[in-house]
């Protein structure tokens, strides 16, 4: 039997420990990578599955809107089936929920300019009233008009064209074009983050020229129609309407509005916002879809976003 000197035995033990440590590190690393790959695969699968469910929800919402157009075309109000929130429905691996809102019950920011790109004074006055009613500075309306109108002349007295934004960090320019998302308000001078959040439920970005549906409009939006309607009166109109329609829009609003404003209200809608959420395990996806309903009743998405409105 051979006897190793004390020093050689020490080196052998150290080498063995090093080999074991290296082996453990490699094994842990492999497990970590395998676990990451599995999570990635799961997330990818959930995203595919979630998107498929959300597309299904969109098609379903379109069908509800089509049925409403066939059966109840004369008006659109909050007592109709499309306005009912869908409670979470179980699906394979999770649940899906959704709701439709009438976007024509909100103030359409693109109405601030005509399709030719000129300022629309009636809508401008309405937007100023809406801002004031919500406790915001009506002066911000001028900057929103400049953001949208075709020219690069600053709207008097509270406008903001390229010159204002050129000094920002990073600098940017006005689009001088209708907006596609209300989130653009964040880029406009005079609209602070808190004001944006206050304004968001009452405004929308639809093609210019859409009438306001008084059957679904909230009290602040109804109050914005005229100096003759204060917030308390608008709230009483909303209460009177309840979850049904105004039986006679002309009789209700005829004396309150001047002829310009009367031509801009209606009792039906073509544009709706679908908010659909699907939860699959630990994954959740929300789809915001602006649906346009055509005269035939068929509805299709004109704007979609995932995660943010
Ligand atoms: Ca209807
Ligand atoms: Ca402009």
């Amino acid at each position: 039997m051979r006897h190793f000197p004390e020093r050689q035995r020490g080196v052998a033990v150290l080498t063995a420990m090093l080999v074991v440590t290296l082996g453990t590190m490699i094994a842990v690393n492999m497990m970590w990578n395998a676990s990451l790959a599995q999570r990635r695969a799961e997330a990818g699968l959930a995203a595919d599955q979630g998107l498929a469910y959300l597309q299904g929800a969109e098609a379903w919402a379109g069908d509800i809107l089509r049925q409403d157009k066939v059966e109840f075309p004369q008006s659109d109000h909050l007592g109709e089936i499309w306005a009912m929130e869908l409670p979470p429905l179980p699906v394979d691996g999770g649940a899906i929920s959704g709701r439709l809102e009438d976007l024509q019950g909100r103030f359409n920011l693109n109405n601030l300019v005509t399709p030719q790109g000129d300022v629309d004074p009636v809508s401008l006055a309405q937007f100023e009233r809406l801002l004031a009613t919500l406790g915001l500075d009506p002066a911000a309306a001028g900057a929103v008009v400049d953001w949208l109108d075709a020219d690069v002349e600053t709207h008097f007295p509270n406008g903001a064209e390229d010159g204002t934004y050129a000094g920002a960090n990073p600098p940017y320019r006005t689009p001088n074009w209708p907006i596609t998302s209300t989130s653009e308000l964040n880029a406009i001078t005079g609209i602070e983050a808190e004001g944006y959040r206050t304004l968001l439920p009452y405004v929308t970005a639809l093609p210019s020229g859409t009438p306001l549906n008084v059957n679904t409009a909230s009290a602040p939006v109804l109050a914005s129609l005229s100096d003759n309607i204060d917030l308390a009166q608008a709230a009483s109109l909303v209460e009177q309407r309840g979850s049904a329609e105004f039986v006679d829009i002309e009789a209700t609003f005829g004396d309150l509005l001047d002829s310009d404003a009367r031509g801009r209200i209606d009792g039906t809608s073509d544009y709706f916002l679908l908010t659909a959420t699907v939860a699959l395990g630990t994954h959740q996806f929300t789809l915001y879809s602006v649906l346009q309903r055509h005269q035939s009743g068929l509805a299709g998405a004109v704007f979609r976003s995932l995660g943010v409105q």
Side-chain angles (χ1 to χ4, degrees):
M1 202 173 165
R2 295 175 60 189
H3 294 279
F4 291 104
E6 203 59 29
R7 196 169 152 200
Q8 282 187 7
R9 273 215 303 272
V11 171
V13 169
L14 269 178
T15 308
M17 281 171 70
L18 193 64
V19 168
V20 170
T21 308
L22 272 173
T24 309
M25 280 169 66
I26 291 167
V28 167
N29 196 31
M30 282 169 68
M31 279 167 65
W32 172 249
N33 283 340
S35 163
L36 270 185
Q38 189 187 348
R39 289 286 294 163
R40 275 195 212 104
E42 276 175 14
L45 190 67
D48 286 349
Q49 203 181 354
L51 279 178
Y53 279 132
L54 293 172
Q55 280 174 345
E58 194 183 89
W60 190 17
D63 197 49
I64 289 171
L65 289 173
R66 187 192 58 76
Q67 277 182 30
D68 173 74
K69 188 78 174 178
V70 171
E71 293 174 34
F72 309 103
Q74 70 283 2
S75 77
D76 294 310
H77 59 81
L78 300 175
E80 293 192 303
I81 291 172
W82 62 263
M84 311 284 164
E85 186 159 347
L86 185 70
L89 272 183
V91 291
D92 191 19
I96 187 163
S97 58
R99 67 172 190 278
L100 275 168
E101 289 165 75
D102 177 14
L103 288 176
Q104 284 186 242
R106 303 181 184 195
F107 176 78
N108 179 8
L109 292 162
N110 287 326
N111 282 355
L112 286 167
V113 292
T114 65
Q116 291 71 39
D118 302 317
V119 59
D120 178 77
V122 175
S123 286
L124 175 57
Q126 189 186 349
F127 189 43
E128 286 171 338
R129 278 191 292 266
L130 179 64
L131 289 166
T133 302
L134 296 173
L136 302 172
D137 184 3
V144 180
V145 164
D146 273 340
W147 189 262
L148 299 161
D149 70 7
D151 65 45
V152 287
E153 307 296 319
T154 303
H155 183 83
F156 183 79
N158 298 305
E161 292 279 1
D162 287 349
T164 303
Y165 305 105
N169 186 19
Y172 54 100
R173 300 178 67 182
T174 51
N176 301 318
W177 192 258
I179 58 174
T180 51
S181 165
T182 48
S183 62
E184 279 190 50
L185 286 172
N186 284 303
I188 302 177
T189 189
I191 309 271
E192 306 300 332
E194 201 184 330
Y196 171 69
R197 282 194 293 275
T198 305
L199 202 49
L200 197 57
Y202 305 102
V203 294
T204 185
L206 301 175
S208 175
T210 55
L212 179 79
N213 183 352
V214 290
N215 287 328
T216 59
S218 58
V221 176
L222 287 181
S224 76
L225 282 169
S226 166
D227 284 329
N228 297 330
I229 310 176
D230 64 19
L231 191 55
Q233 203 175 352
S236 127
L237 282 168
V238 167
E239 199 182 327
Q240 174 195 329
R241 181 187 76 195
S243 58
E245 67 205 302
F246 286 112
V247 179
D248 189 339
I249 290 175
E250 183 55 36
T252 308
F253 290 91
D255 293 340
L256 294 171
L257 307 182
D258 60 30
S259 58
D260 275 339
R262 273 209 301 277
R264 290 154 189 258
I265 61 169
D266 200 356
T268 60
S269 292
D270 296 327
Y271 292 93
F272 298 82
L273 175 67
L274 167 71
T275 305
T277 300
V278 63
L280 298 168
T282 56
H283 305 278
Q284 183 168 306
F285 309 96
T286 298
L287 170 73
Y288 298 94
S289 202
V290 176
L291 301 174
Q292 181 185 12
R293 183 171 62 175
H294 301 276
Q295 277 311 307
S296 64
L298 287 178
V302 290
F303 183 81
R304 282 193 191 104
S305 69
L306 267 176
V308 285
Q309 197 171 332

